[in-house]
Amino acid sequence: MLTIEQKKNRLFVVLAGIFLCNALVAEMIGVKIFSGEQTLGLAPANLNILGFTMDFNLTAGAVIWPVVFISTDLINEYFGKPGVQRISFLTAGLIAYAFLVIFLTMELPPAQWWLDANSKDANGNYFDMNFAFNKILGQGQRIILGSLVAFLLAQLVDVFVFQKLRSITGPKKLWLRATGSTLVSQLVDSFVVLFVAFYGTFSVPQILAIGITNYLYKFVVALLLTPLVYIGHYLIDRYLGKAEALRISEEAAEKSQSLL
């Protein structure tokens, strides 16, 4: 029979693993840009935002980033600010480490047989395997820096807003603190990453236009994820026991009153 502390530790390991895995993979696949409209079989949106025609062209990382939203809200609920900070800083460090390893491997001299093997695309055109490897995995340093800064800042804002809303509503209205914290934190994330990565390359109106488009997507996703947060909450309450889950949640709230 597991004690409540053992269950709590196992729960944190599982949630942290889901959070870390999806955040890391999202960063790796984020270099690919896909059309949100074409994915749904729709025509391009052609939104006129600040004088720019914008479609919902998103990074592939956006596909699995909602899992990070959900795991953040659940860690927030049961482990509070200490839990979110712990896993956020660990994840940022591991993402930085992953990109460092990728940059080092890009400098390794390629084997000739690897360059020659399977170096044709589906149409029979030759391509440089090493160039393709470096082009796909070698994201710009400013993009990586912007992503990490925005990620950490958004996580701090998320836990602060989440716990402030909980102090107002108590254990009720999970939908309000889960959705509200995500909407505020992703507003920060959407614009910080773009300004750090592209300020001086794109004009400010263009950065704002791209940020608005990205945030509209995140806004809709945050609303659609609400039922999944409730499902996760229900499963955890069953695992810990309703009374113990409530006690742990109250303890987490008590430790999470300040932004830092």
Side-chain angles (χ1 to χ4, degrees), residues 160-170 172-173 176-181:
F160 178 73
V161 174
F162 186 99
Q163 295 299 339
K164 280 298 181 185
L165 290 174
R166 193 184 191 286
S167 68
I168 296 171
T169 64
K172 298 179 180 179
K173 296 185 178 179
L176 178 60
R177 56 185 180 273
T179 305
S181 61

Side-chain angles (χ1 to χ4, degrees), residues 33-174:
I33 307 299
F34 74 99
S35 169
E37 296 97 335
Q38 289 186 39
T39 302
L40 298 175
L42 303 174
N46 292 328
L47 300 176
N48 190 316
I49 301 177
L50 302 178
F52 296 93
T53 300
M54 306 298 300
D55 300 326
F56 286 97
N57 295 319
L58 308 163
T59 73
V63 174
I64 60 172
W65 201 257
V67 181
V68 178
F69 294 166
I70 296 172
S71 53
T72 295
D73 288 333
L74 293 175
I75 293 171
N76 230 333
E77 179 74 8
Y78 295 99
F79 300 95
K81 183 181 69 176
V84 174
Q85 286 184 334
R86 192 178 306 129
I87 188 58
S88 297
F89 285 116
L90 174 61
T91 301
L94 292 176
I95 290 173
Y97 167 76
F99 278 116
L100 175 61
V101 172
I102 289 171
F103 285 133
L104 291 176
T105 59
M106 287 168 57
E107 298 301 317
L108 296 174
Q112 189 59 47
W113 67 265
W114 180 69
L115 287 174
D116 296 336
N118 301 317
S119 55
K120 290 184 179 181
D121 62 20
N123 296 319
N125 300 313
Y126 285 95
F127 65 92
D128 186 327
M129 288 278 285
N130 194 58
F131 176 81
F133 177 90
N134 293 348
K135 193 69 174 177
I136 292 171
L137 295 179
Q139 299 189 42
Q141 291 162 340
R142 281 185 64 180
I143 295 175
I144 295 170
L145 177 62
S147 179
L148 289 175
V149 171
F151 168 75
L152 287 174
L153 186 57
Q155 288 299 109
L156 292 174
V157 171
D158 188 285
V159 70
F160 178 73
V161 174
F162 186 99
Q163 295 299 339
K164 280 298 181 185
L165 290 174
R166 193 184 191 286
S167 68
I168 296 171
T169 64
K172 298 179 180 179
K173 296 185 178 179
L174 174 62

Side-chain angles (χ1 to χ4, degrees), residues 11-47:
L11 174 62
F12 183 76
V13 169
V14 170
L15 291 176
I18 294 171
F19 178 98
L20 197 157
C21 176
N22 283 275
L24 183 58
V25 173
E27 291 289 343
M28 297 297 106
I29 66 176
V31 68
K32 179 173 181 175
I33 307 299
F34 74 99
S35 169
E37 296 97 335
Q38 289 186 39
T39 302
L40 298 175
L42 303 174
N46 292 328
L47 300 176

Side-chain angles (χ1 to χ4, degrees), residues 189-201:
D189 180 90
S190 296
F191 291 97
V192 170
V193 63
L194 292 172
F195 272 99
V196 175
F198 299 115
Y199 184 77
T201 302

